[in-house]
């Protein structure tokens, strides 16, 4: 129904620019220790099928294998954290903050709350998972 929809995004300096066709998943906040380190706090990610991302600029795009299950994409020039890609599935998580216009997307869920540090509380009433949300799709 939304096949004409296109969402653009990129890093802070412009060395990574991309467009995504079609709808994006609602936003999930990941509180895991790896996201805390790479984002500076919890990470808010939308997501889409990997093959729906088209890069208009990718000279800055670098990948870091953050575990045997996933890699993280970031801009090597400005340091923006942009993507999370599992090795076991065909989707890419896209940092909500990298989107030029997040439109109708809303935060709907918290995951890996077991790793949440003590300096903030989750008080928005959205559902929380101590681990991942696999088996649960928006
Ligand atoms: Zn950049």
């Amino acid at each position: 129904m939304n096949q004409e929809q296109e969402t653009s995004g990129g890093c802070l300096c412009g060395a990574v620019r991309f467009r995504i066709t079609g709808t994006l998943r609602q936003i999930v906040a990941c509180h895991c220790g790896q996201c805390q380190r790479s984002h500076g706090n919890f990470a808010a990610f939308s997501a889409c099928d990997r093959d729906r991302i088209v890069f208009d600029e990718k000279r800055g795009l670098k990948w870091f294998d953050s575990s045997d299950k996933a890699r993280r994409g970031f801009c090597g020039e400005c340091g923006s954290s942009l993507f999370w890609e599992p090795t076991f599935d065909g989707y890419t998580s896209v940092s909500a903050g990298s989107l030029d216009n997040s439109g109708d997307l809303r935060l709907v869920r918290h995951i890996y709350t077991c790793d949440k540090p003590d300096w903030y509380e989750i008080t928005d009433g959205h559902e929380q998972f101590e681990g991942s949300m696999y088996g649960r799709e928006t």
Side-chain angles (χ1 to χ4, degrees):
M1 292 297 102
N2 292 290
Q3 68 269 26
E4 262 76 52
Q5 180 178 334
E6 185 173 86
T7 305
S8 60
C11 69
L12 185 59
C13 76
V16 182
R17 290 293 305 167
F18 58 85
R19 287 174 287 125
I20 300 167
T21 53
T23 54
L24 283 86
R25 191 198 64 198
Q26 294 292 349
I27 294 168
V28 173
C30 182
H31 301 264
C32 84
Q34 293 193 354
C35 280
Q36 297 282 350
R37 285 196 188 276
S38 65
H39 283 258
N41 57 18
F42 67 86
F45 280 118
S46 181
C48 65
D49 295 329
R50 204 161 296 163
D51 59 8
R52 289 200 280 120
I53 303 176
V54 174
F55 287 93
D56 293 319
E57 178 59 72
K58 59 193 298 185
R59 74 176 189 276
L61 183 60
K62 306 282 188 207
W63 292 95
F64 172 67
D65 293 324
S66 50
S67 75
D68 58 356
K69 297 188 184 68
R71 63 179 189 165
R72 291 170 184 268
F74 62 99
C75 177
E77 298 192 14
C78 71
S80 300
S81 178
L82 299 168
F83 305 113
W84 183 88
E85 280 191 354
T87 57
F88 53 86
D89 207 339
Y91 72 91
T92 296
S93 293
V94 181
S95 293
S98 73
L99 302 176
D100 297 335
N101 183 346
S102 52
D104 294 333
L105 297 178
R106 295 292 180 271
L107 180 67
V108 296
R109 180 176 306 132
H110 300 273
I111 62 173
Y112 286 100
T113 58
C114 60
D115 280 355
K116 183 186 79 60
D118 291 335
W119 56 264
Y120 65 88
E121 302 299 330
I122 300 171
T123 58
D124 58 18
H126 297 309
E127 62 180 343
Q128 300 184 26
F129 292 81
E130 288 195 350
S132 77
M133 60 179 185
Y134 289 107
R136 296 290 299 271
E137 288 300 321
T138 297

